[in-house]
Amino acid sequence: MTIHTYTLGERLKGVVKAWAAVLIVSWIGVPLVISILYAFSERTALYERTPIPLSYSLEQIRFLLFEAGALYAVKNSVIVALLTVALSFLLGLPAGYAFAKYVFPGRDALKLALIGMRMFPVMIIAVPLVALYIRIGLSDTLVGVALAHTAMALPFVVLITSSVFAGVPRDLEEAGMVFGLSPIGVFLRITIPLALPGLAAAAMFTFLLSWNEVFIAAVLTLTNRTLPAFILTSALAAPDFFKFAANFIIVAPALVFVFVARRYLVTMWGITVR
Amino acid sequence: MRLTPKHKAFLLIAPAFIYMGFFIAYPLSEAIYLSFFEEGALSLANIRYLVGSPLSKFTEAFRYTLTITAIVIPIETALALLIALFLYNSFKGRDLILYMVIIPLTISDVAAGLIWYSILTSNGFMNNLLISLGLIDQPIQVFGSEFKVRMLLAIVVTEVWRSMAIVFVILFAGLQLLSRDLIEAAEVFGASWMQKLTKIILPMLKPSLQSALIIRTLFAFQIFGVVWILAGRNIPVLAGEAYYELTELRHEGVAALYALIIAAISLSFGFIYIRTLRARHLEVTL
Amino acid sequence: MAGVRLEGIVKRFGRTTALKGINLEIRDGEIMVLLGPSGCGKTTTLRIIAGLEKPTEGRVFFDDREVTNLPPKDRNISMVFQSYAVWPHMKVYDNIAFPLKIKKVRDEEIRRRVKWAAELLQIEELLDRYPHQLSGGQRQRVAVARAIVVEPEVLLMDEPLSNLDALLRVKMRSEIKKLQRKVGVTMVYVTHDQTEAMVIADRIAVMSEGQIMQVGSPQEVYDDPANTFVAGFIGSPQMNLIKARVVDGVIEIPGYEIKLSNQPSTLTGGNIVIGVRPEKIQIGDKPSGPHVEMEGIIDFIENLGADYIVHVKVGDTILVAKTTSLPEHVNIGTRTKIYIEEKHIHFFDSKTGTKIKLNTTKK
């Protein structure tokens, strides 16, 4: 019996593959990790010309949050993002459910319309709202930003929740009906619990959409800046350590999301970009 | 009266569509009014400002937006395709690479700009590394109004880093949908690696490639945060000019005109996209 | 054309071992069917012959040429996939022509060969269509045409009929056999359907859990199964396999004792399994040769129209019999006599399941 040995070609292929893997991971990972290390660097260590800072402190983050006013911006961002999640789910969840579970005339056309609306640029939502918000007193308010963010996030919410609901097998719901649940009972006791993890991931995704959005927020606020708007408007004139620290504060929730919802990542973006 | 399922469905989707309808119809009509009317009368003042005023950087912005799009998209599409092909077969550690590649999807444009700023700035990682290795004495300057080409390069690198993931996800999903048999059949009938790629995989991946290209082009014309963080108005782009005209110069009409131009470009690409999507819809399952 | 030889093929996927040492000789020009339940390793074996998988251990030969490390394209094989794998972006003509184009055959020769293959499978009028305009059966024909157009040394078929409806499946299995006779190619055919295997095969290799249980002609594996697995897998309804004990020349099954007229000398005593095919159990008619006679109660009757499947309770054991006619007034609950010719009784070792060879001692 001969044991299969690896030929030279195969070994070479293995080496090339391993290097490709390293290259891909570093291309994404190195800038990310390095930039986070810089955020936690001792301020003096930034000028010592070592590739990676040699001493670390929370000083830069502390300064940015408590002295430069970023904490206020973080608080605003969280409020706007939570309002956006609440509002877009209130409006979008029923629609997502309808798309998943009902057949009705115009369903496909409406779904295509949703995909089309997703491509509506935020610039054209934001610019005309400035004047409107001044007229109705929403200018420079968090609610105003959240309303615009909801308009931006809503198509995503409908598309994602519809696919989450569609993923709940019809059989399980019908079994619920056969064994005596009312339609509302089926929804509350079978559909929702089964859809919950997916819906939670969708909510986090929506939170991030709002958290990351900068154009609308920068245009519609003046004193009540969200975090990206705050950084965008002050970054140009700010010193480097300010930017390094700011980077980490914006990125952190995204990394938490990647970690918590990694199982849903590919499918979720599969839906939003399709 | 009892509700039929049809009525129920419409009741369920109505709130979302009414909301979106308002946030599309109102801004669109208002933007048209702001752009082309002044005190109730038709006026071309904003267009004249856009192309004629010394304050306006419209032509430059248009050129830069186009240039960035034209450089970024081919590079990231090629990279995304290579990585998607690399990850097609499962192997140990594939999932880790997969997560890694799509992390930038969750990172905002502002943050992506800041990340690459920390790498490329004069006391950032790149210069520190090169100096400590003794390869250079003086840091390489990337940012500042006299280094337009370098800033453009920094923007390109950042955009590729940030948005390649979108292309990747589309291509990867498309590739996963291709049945393995279809590719193995080519192997069995004697195709080489290159023939497999050009005669079987790429033609079958065409719908996904199409989607990826259209969607990316559409969003490339909306580029804003990355550019504003890295270069400010040294590299003007359409969305950046809209922002500047609105917040700094208070030219609401001009900003609205910029927004309309971006929307027109986006929506025409969106229209093409929906048409290809619809065409594919009709073509039963392959 | 070529014969195929597998020598000590082992295939591991991570921790699971899919093939545990396969030795198989496939003769030039024959149809070898790999038959077994899902997960038995038959498809893996086929893919190793194709070169789509590499064996962990062992070697593959086409005639005397070792191909173990050759990629599929250098093996001169062809394959029909379970999903057909007809490329959706190519017209039928281009699908069939693909293997020839890759081999850089001249255009007119390609046209001639595609026409030949299309005629053979009666799909000439489909050449200009795209796969999504075809039915499942038509796609299957395209896949077969594509597979024979290159005149491969070995033609591999991976459950090619399993996606067709029952009627078409029956029609196609004889067509495939006729086609192979016409083209004369060596063929390895994978299926889990034992009827299909019986119809198509020159020889069958019955597989289970990564091993070959028996190789032989359809008649051989039917008449003389090497072990209880083959005995149970081939034939429908399944062969009756009954636990028994041999004590002093008497075979005891639960609640009943059987006495053989000719006691084989190899049946010395202890636990065995006896096997009887349902169609060899006779109800009512007494056979002329040496036979066993038993008495039981009819437990259940399945009327299949052409024949009957009769469950007879003998002692504590249910025997299933298949017969074309039933004696009158036989009904559920009726007490009846059944007869089995002794030459139709198989004996297996109860531990290993292997057949006990009988050197019947004539008295």
Side-chain angles (χ1 to χ4, degrees), chain A residues 189-206:
Chain A
R189 297 180 50 184
I190 293 173
T191 314
I192 286 284
L194 286 171
L196 209 56
L199 294 179
M204 278 192 266
F205 176 79
T206 313

Side-chain angles (χ1 to χ4, degrees), chain A residues 27-29 38 47 49-51 104 112 119 124 128 132 135 147 212 219 233 240 244 247 254 262 269 273-274, chain B residues 9 19-20 26-27 86 99-100 106 108 115 117-118 122-123 125 128 161 170 215 218 239 243 246 273-274:
Chain A
W27 160 242
I28 303 296
Y38 274 48
Y47 301 92
R49 294 284 174 213
T50 52
F104 49 92
L112 280 177
M119 292 163 186
I124 200 148
L132 179 71
R135 274 204 302 272
L147 288 174
N212 284 344
V219 162
T233 48
D240 280 353
F244 298 160
N247 167 48
R262 59 189 181 284
W269 268 284
V273 294
R274 196 141 269 274
Chain B
Y19 191 90
M20 281 184 277
Y26 175 80
F86 179 65
Y99 294 141
M100 224 41 204
T106 57
S108 72
I115 287 171
Y117 181 84
S118 357
S122 59
N123 57 355
F125 174 68
N128 288 351
W161 185 86
I170 300 174
I215 288 181
L218 182 162
Y243 173 73
L246 183 66
Y273 177 66
I274 300 271

